[in-house]
Amino acid sequence: MCLKAALFEMKEALTNQSNKQVTDEFIQNLETKNDLSPGTLVYYFNHLFMFYQKGSKSTLEEGKKINRKWSKSEIDFMFQYILDRQAEGCLNITEILDEIGQLLNRGYQSVNYKYYSLVKAQEKQETKSGNQYHFTTIQRPEIPVVSTEVIRDIPEPSQEINNQTQPEDLLDILSGLITNVQQLPGIQLNNLLGSLYQLTNLALQNQQVVEQVEAIKSESQLEMVNLKNKLMDKEKQLLMEKKRNDDLQMEVAKLAKEITAFNKLGDAAKIQNLKSYNQRLNYIIDNFGIVLQVGS
């Protein structure tokens, strides 16, 4: 038996009716060709025919990209196909869900999430009520749950974790820990607590080292700032001394020019201006009030 091959050939015929008309004879030939019981494909034909008649070809091609709402017909189709495929001997639920996605033009993740969410909802309802396993939207008393792969993308309910009783007192937590450890074979409570104590000591030592390193960094940064400020002060002082030296050189240059001019005067002119030149030659007073004696 090969239900998969028969349905994929039926899908191709339904989506390309211009090339081949799907008739009762065509369905019977598919059943005979794939060694299926008479009437097996009628159920699937009705679902697929209604599904493919709802939209155009372009809609079907883009079906995997559109977040379509699941219909009851699609859900019935999915679980009936799972039952029949597992009856044939295919126990890989991942492979079966992928085939359903291709037949219904849906993505694998969509089919996977829908399947497991329905199964988990039914399991939760069964736990509360204690009734026999039953889906309200599926006319089947049983649902296969054989799986060979764990899908991590399936959202897990978080309320169960939050609703669990958590000890609020630290003493209760420690008491429970000690009790549990004592019941575990091969684990010595003293060794376990000693190891935890050593780990906490190492953690504290590491924290102290980190704090010391941070303190050293802070001191180094502060020292660098102080050195930088001192260097800036020295640079300012050097600029001031350079300016004073430049001003003094200018005064000396002026005095040299006056001496040259005095020497060029005649004897009578020298005698007339000798007193004033003599005073100017004796002292040079710079801009900072320092008196420099250059002659007598």
Side-chain angles (χ1 to χ4, degrees), residues 170-171 173-182 186-202:
L170 179 59
L171 294 178
I173 297 175
L174 294 176
S175 176
L177 174 63
I178 295 173
T179 302
N180 293 339
V181 171
Q182 288 176 343
I187 298 180
Q188 298 296 329
L189 180 61
N190 292 338
N191 295 337
L192 177 62
L193 295 179
S195 299
L196 292 176
Y197 178 70
Q198 291 179 0
L199 289 176
T200 54
N201 284 337
L202 291 175

Side-chain angles (χ1 to χ4, degrees), residues 138-186:
I138 303 174
Q139 299 177 356
R140 288 284 169 181
E142 58 180 353
I143 296 176
V145 293
V146 180
S147 177
T148 59
E149 180 180 357
V150 177
I151 306 302
R152 297 181 180 178
D153 294 335
I154 299 176
E156 298 291 342
S158 58
Q159 294 181 353
E160 298 180 359
I161 299 177
N162 296 331
N163 293 334
Q164 294 179 354
T165 303
Q166 299 291 341
E168 297 180 356
D169 193 352
L170 179 59
L171 294 178
D172 293 339
I173 297 175
L174 294 176
S175 176
L177 174 63
I178 295 173
T179 302
N180 293 339
V181 171
Q182 288 176 343
Q183 295 177 358
L184 293 175

Side-chain angles (χ1 to χ4, degrees), residues 279-293:
Q279 292 177 353
R280 295 172 66 181
L281 287 174
N282 285 334
Y283 299 100
I284 298 175
I285 302 177
D286 63 7
N287 294 333
F288 298 95
I290 300 176
V291 179
L292 299 178
Q293 185 173 353

Side-chain angles (χ1 to χ4, degrees), residues 72 75-76 78-80 118 134-143:
K72 181 180 180 300
I75 296 175
D76 292 342
M78 176 175 63
F79 282 99
Q80 180 62 46
L118 290 174
H134 179 71
F135 275 103
T136 57
T137 58
I138 303 174
Q139 299 177 356
R140 288 284 169 181
E142 58 180 353
I143 296 176

Side-chain angles (χ1 to χ4, degrees), residues 2-263:
C2 190
L3 179 63
K4 173 183 175 181
L7 289 186
F8 274 91
E9 187 173 349
M10 181 185 293
K11 174 187 175 182
E12 183 179 358
L14 287 172
T15 54
N16 298 280
Q17 289 190 12
S18 59
N19 299 329
K20 184 185 297 183
Q21 293 292 333
V22 180
T23 61
D24 293 340
E25 182 180 359
F26 174 76
I27 296 176
Q28 293 175 2
N29 291 335
L30 273 181
E31 292 174 343
T32 303
K33 176 181 176 181
N34 293 278
D35 194 20
L36 298 173
S37 302
T40 302
L41 296 180
V42 175
Y43 172 84
Y44 294 104
F45 169 76
N46 292 333
H47 282 275
L48 292 177
F49 179 78
M50 293 176 60
F51 173 71
Y52 291 132
Q53 289 299 317
K54 288 182 180 180
S56 61
K57 184 176 180 181
S58 60
T59 302
L60 296 176
E61 292 176 351
E62 297 294 332
K64 293 183 179 181
K65 300 179 182 180
I66 301 175
N67 187 17
R68 306 194 319 270
K69 183 179 180 181
W70 279 79
S71 64
K72 181 180 180 300
S73 176
E74 289 178 298
I75 296 175
D76 292 342
F77 179 94
M78 176 175 63
F79 282 99
Q80 180 62 46
Y81 185 79
I82 292 173
L83 286 173
D84 291 341
R85 288 287 284 130
Q86 290 188 338
E88 291 181 346
C90 180
L91 300 182
N92 190 336
I93 191 63
T94 301
E95 178 181 349
I96 297 175
L97 294 179
D98 183 63
E99 295 170 6
I100 294 172
Q102 297 181 47
L103 291 171
L104 297 180
N105 287 312
R106 285 186 176 272
Y108 168 75
Q109 293 295 338
S110 174
V111 179
N112 183 285
Y113 175 76
K114 190 63 178 179
Y115 170 73
Y116 282 102
S117 62
L118 290 174
V119 170
K120 288 187 177 182
Q122 181 59 29
E123 289 176 349
K124 186 176 181 181
Q125 181 179 354
E126 183 184 18
T127 303
K128 291 182 179 179
S129 62
N131 296 331
Q132 187 177 2
Y133 201 92
H134 179 71
F135 275 103
T136 57
T137 58
I138 303 174
Q139 299 177 356
R140 288 284 169 181
E142 58 180 353
I143 296 176
V145 293
V146 180
S147 177
T148 59
E149 180 180 357
V150 177
I151 306 302
R152 297 181 180 178
D153 294 335
I154 299 176
E156 298 291 342
S158 58
Q159 294 181 353
E160 298 180 359
I161 299 177
N162 296 331
N163 293 334
Q164 294 179 354
T165 303
Q166 299 291 341
E168 297 180 356
D169 193 352
L170 179 59
L171 294 178
D172 293 339
I173 297 175
L174 294 176
S175 176
L177 174 63
I178 295 173
T179 302
N180 293 339
V181 171
Q182 288 176 343
Q183 295 177 358
L184 293 175
I187 298 180
Q188 298 296 329
L189 180 61
N190 292 338
N191 295 337
L192 177 62
L193 295 179
S195 299
L196 292 176
Y197 178 70
Q198 291 179 0
L199 289 176
T200 54
N201 284 337
L202 291 175
L204 289 175
Q205 292 176 6
N206 291 337
Q207 182 65 27
Q208 293 175 358
V209 171
V210 171
E211 293 177 355
Q212 292 176 359
V213 171
E214 293 296 331
I216 294 174
K217 287 183 178 179
S218 300
E219 293 178 359
S220 299
Q221 292 178 355
L222 182 60
E223 185 176 356
M224 289 179 62
V225 172
N226 292 334
L227 291 176
K228 186 177 181 180
N229 292 334
K230 290 180 179 180
L231 180 61
M232 292 177 62
D233 293 339
K234 293 296 182 181
E235 289 178 351
K236 290 181 180 179
Q237 184 177 358
L238 179 61
L239 291 175
M240 293 174 62
E241 293 293 338
K242 185 176 182 301
K243 185 177 182 301
R244 291 172 58 183
N245 185 48
D246 293 341
D247 293 341
L248 181 59
Q249 289 181 1
M250 290 179 60
E251 293 293 334
V252 173
K254 291 180 180 179
L255 183 59
K257 291 179 179 180
E258 292 182 357
I259 293 173
T260 302
F262 179 78
N263 290 332

